[in-house]
Amino acid sequence: MSGATSLSSFGILLLSAFVFPCPSQSAEQPRRPNIVIIFADDWGRHAGAYARLDGPGTVNDVVRTPNFDRIAGEGVLFRRAFVSSPSCTPSRSALVSGQHFWRTGHGSVLRGEWDGSSPAFPLLLRDAGYRIGKSHKVWTPGTPSDAPFGGQQFAYEAEGRRFNNFSENASKLVAEGKTVEAAKAELFHEVRANFDTFLNNRGSDQPFTYWFGPTNVHRKWTKGSGKALWGLNPDDLAGKLPPFLPDVPEVREDLADYFGEIAALDGAIGLIVERLEQIGELDNTLLIISGDHGAPGFPHGKCNLYDFGTQVPLLVRWGGAPGGRVVDDLISLTDIAPTVLELAGLPIPEVMTGRSLVRILKGDKSGQVDPQRTAIYTGRERHVDSARADYLPYPQRAIRTHDYLYIVNFRPDRWPLGDPHRLDGDQPPTVEEVTENTRITLADEDAGPTKAWLVSQRRSPRWKAHFDWVYGKRPREELYDLRQDPHQVKNVANDAEYANARATLERQLLQELQQTGDPRLIDEGSYFETPPVGGPPVTPADR
């Protein structure tokens, strides 16, 4: 497929992918696995199991995820897994369609529209006889909400949705007189009850697909809740923060609170796995645990193509996969859709750019298993619609190998994290405003204490350079040598000694974009720059 391929040609390819018979279950056929996907909002690569891989001295030393860690010992833990885009909707569009986010039409931006032209593996499973159900978020914010999962007709949330604001609701219950453990138990009960309702509504021999998509790890969370609810001491992070995060009390507490929400998520993971084991379905279930991008409201995180924004946990447990392994291959979450379809015995639509992980899962090797999996591709267009004047995106694409991260910023004249509204005016935003309201300024970074602290320090002699570095305009090209600079803080794109590496990576990136028909390379990216994708966000009334 050439770079000049029109978008209409995608529709022809996509429609052709749906012409296949639904397999029937017979006595001769092996039993199809159940599929349970635990996919958390804004959960970057933070878990205790990764602390052991990374060695001491990282922020993961403070994360507490005993359930995730135990399952990692029984499954396959992927050391280097990445999303297609570090923004909720395009990340999820890529996941369910098994394609690079830029191939998903209006689903490639945060508040876009799902028009049904891309395949969605949950609906393919439903059509093949799977009982499907979900709790909380699958695909949103977008219109129609959770469309790739059939909207809300398969929602199992009647027992409660309070888990989605875990720290706020647990803190409220404690303030009303409950103990911390009783408050947490009340919220965990909802998780178990919703899952039980789904399980009780499936056919006795019917394979099922359940999606648990909590949003508690997404901001906002209660200040100080990491310590109050989970005993996570912010001071334990001192000296462990990466260089793009100021090592100050405000940031350490904010990060500890984020890790508290991850601890709550881990508790829910334990409940779901426990229930599968109790009903005798655990070993016949493909369990996939991951997140949709990196940490919100922190520099280099969500909405950035650095690892802190695009790298996520990925853990797969399945009875047919030898467990206790760590795989070093570079994995894109677009690989999940073809993996699920292959294990369910369904054909993989030709439009999917992701590659099935089944061979890796069925093998017994650790380390680099597939010698071809040595690069992944990420990017973004528009996150918050009002982040820049005229609804403009901040277009980026990147290739990440084992040794390098190479980023192209197609519009370096624009502000990468949004226009700096009011920062130089007579009425600058207050700390409270920046803490509570994402759209006040630099709107492609979520509101929160870390962002508010950095904005308040933007003119201080000590922190001005840091503020300008993380929020300022960026050059057209960025290149990071991961062997020397794992946190990606020193851009060597213009260094002569890296000229050959830069040229090779640029060629490889552009080849991938051209072969997969990225509209960013067509007519100067007009598809992403103009309505409806580059215009006001879609609302139900507009449809």
Side-chain angles (χ1 to χ4, degrees):
M1 189 179 298
S2 70
T5 302
S6 67
L7 290 175
S8 61
S9 67
F10 281 120
I12 298 172
L13 289 170
L14 293 170
L15 287 172
S16 68
F18 287 90
V19 183
F20 56 81
C22 294
S24 59
Q25 192 79 18
S26 69
E28 291 76 24
Q29 289 179 319
R31 186 182 176 200
R32 289 183 287 173
N34 308 309
I35 296 151
V36 171
I37 297 172
I38 299 175
F39 199 66
D41 240 17
D42 294 30
W43 182 24
R45 184 184 175 275
H46 302 294
Y50 289 112
R52 290 192 284 274
L53 296 181
D54 299 340
T58 75
V59 296
N60 278 338
D61 292 347
V62 179
V63 183
R64 298 290 178 266
T65 52
N67 293 296
F68 182 94
D69 302 347
R70 176 181 63 82
I71 300 164
E74 304 168 359
V76 180
L77 181 65
F78 291 87
R79 188 195 299 261
R80 299 183 178 99
F82 296 81
V83 296
S84 180
S85 181
S87 171
C88 295
T89 309
S91 172
R92 292 162 183 269
S93 295
L95 172 71
V96 297
S97 72
Q99 302 182 79
H100 295 308
F101 85 96
W102 56 77
R103 292 168 58 89
T104 63
H106 205 174
S108 58
V109 297
L110 183 67
R111 297 176 65 192
E113 183 173 16
W114 185 267
D115 62 10
S117 62
S118 292
F121 79 80
L123 299 181
L124 297 179
L125 292 170
R126 176 202 61 185
D127 295 343
Y130 273 75
R131 176 76 178 187
I132 71 171
K134 65 100 178 179
S135 293
H136 317 310
K137 179 175 178 177
V138 176
W139 184 87
T140 187
T143 303
S145 175
D146 289 349
F149 209 93
Q152 303 308 313
Q153 62 177 314
F154 301 110
Y156 288 84
E157 302 163 4
E159 301 302 324
R161 294 176 51 87
R162 290 180 299 166
F163 187 88
N164 287 328
N165 298 90
F166 193 95
S167 64
E168 297 99 313
N169 286 319
S171 299
K172 180 181 177 181
L173 291 170
V174 171
E176 292 172 352
K178 289 186 179 291
T179 66
V180 168
E181 292 308 313
K184 292 193 287 190
E186 186 170 322
L187 301 181
F188 282 128
H189 172 75
E190 295 181 355
V191 174
R192 176 70 173 266
N194 285 326
F195 188 37
D196 279 347
T197 302
F198 166 75
L199 292 173
N200 292 335
N201 278 274
R202 77 193 195 283
S204 58
D205 295 319
Q206 186 179 23
F208 60 83
T209 297
Y210 182 72
W211 183 300
F212 178 63
T215 61
N216 67 298
V217 184
H218 191 295
R219 289 184 184 270
K220 296 182 293 186
W221 46 76
T222 299
K223 186 177 175 65
S225 56
K227 186 172 185 178
L229 298 177
W230 301 100
L232 301 177
N233 188 348
D235 292 340
D236 291 342
L237 285 164
K240 299 179 184 293
L241 270 62
F244 47 81
L245 295 183
D247 197 347
V248 297
E250 292 85 350
V251 177
R252 293 196 293 266
E253 181 181 55
D254 200 16
L255 198 59
D257 293 343
Y258 174 59
F259 291 164
E261 296 292 353
I262 293 172
L265 167 67
D266 185 73
I269 291 171
L271 290 175
I272 291 172
V273 172
E274 179 185 53
R275 191 70 178 112
L276 289 170
E277 193 168 23
Q278 289 172 345
I279 63 173
E281 293 286 355
L282 180 58
D283 284 339
N284 190 51
T285 296
L286 176 68
L287 175 66
I288 300 172
I289 305 174
S290 190
D292 66 354
H293 51 67
F298 295 96
H300 273 223
K302 182 178 180 178
C303 283
N304 290 275
L305 301 189
Y306 311 117
D307 284 5
F308 195 64
T310 60
Q311 195 170 14
V312 291
L314 178 59
L315 172 57
V316 179
R317 188 196 189 282
W318 173 50
R325 294 183 289 137
V326 177
V327 170
D328 293 341
D329 297 40
L330 286 163
I331 303 298
S332 168
L333 292 199
T334 59
D335 299 334
I336 288 177
T339 301
V340 167
L341 293 176
E342 181 175 348
L343 284 178
L346 300 178
I348 299 170
E350 291 184 4
V351 295
M352 289 188 174
T353 57
R355 294 181 293 156
S356 172
L357 299 169
V358 169
R359 288 183 62 187
I360 292 177
L361 295 177
K362 287 185 173 181
D364 58 1
K365 294 181 179 179
S366 295
Q368 183 72 34
V369 178
D370 183 346
Q372 302 300 314
R373 291 181 181 270
T374 56
I376 55 93
Y377 302 89
T378 62
R380 74 167 175 129
E381 285 290 337
R382 195 183 72 187
H383 186 64
V384 171
D385 51 89
S386 61
R388 280 162 290 277
D390 300 322
Y391 306 104
L392 292 175
Y394 189 77
Q396 300 176 282
R397 300 291 186 272
I399 177 173
R400 208 279 196 186
T401 68
H402 286 296
D403 295 332
Y404 295 103
L405 171 66
Y406 173 72
I407 301 171
V408 175
N409 301 306
F410 288 94
R411 294 288 189 269
D413 57 309
R414 298 175 187 170
W415 296 97
L417 291 172
D419 294 341
H421 297 302
R422 294 173 52 187
L423 295 190
D424 294 323
D426 296 332
Q427 294 182 318
T430 65
V431 169
E432 182 179 5
E433 285 180 304
V434 183
T435 301
E436 299 295 330
N437 188 344
T438 292
R439 292 175 183 260
I440 283 292
T441 192
L442 303 167
D444 271 348
E445 183 171 281
D446 286 15
T450 294
K451 178 180 178 180
W453 186 87
L454 271 166
V455 168
S456 74
Q457 299 295 313
R458 67 190 180 279
R459 293 192 181 95
S460 73
R462 182 178 177 186
W463 293 106
K464 182 182 185 304
H466 193 104
F467 176 87
D468 292 341
W469 168 44
V470 296
Y471 295 116
K473 293 180 179 179
R474 299 172 186 174
R476 180 176 174 81
E477 294 178 283
E478 299 177 66
L479 176 64
Y480 300 96
D481 182 345
L482 304 179
R483 298 162 298 184
Q484 306 296 325
D485 179 22
H487 296 298
Q488 300 125 51
V489 298
K490 182 182 179 183
N491 181 13
V492 296
N494 293 324
D495 289 11
E497 64 179 294
Y498 290 98
N500 289 337
R502 190 212 62 78
T504 299
L505 292 164
E506 179 188 30
R507 183 168 57 252
Q508 190 174 347
L509 173 61
L510 291 177
Q511 182 179 30
E512 180 71 14
L513 302 183
Q514 290 167 351
Q515 289 181 343
T516 58
D518 188 347
R520 176 47 65 182
L521 300 189
I522 304 170
D523 191 22
E524 298 185 346
S526 62
Y527 178 75
F528 292 119
E529 299 281 334
T530 56
V533 178
V538 171
T539 64
D542 295 329
R543 297 184 64 247

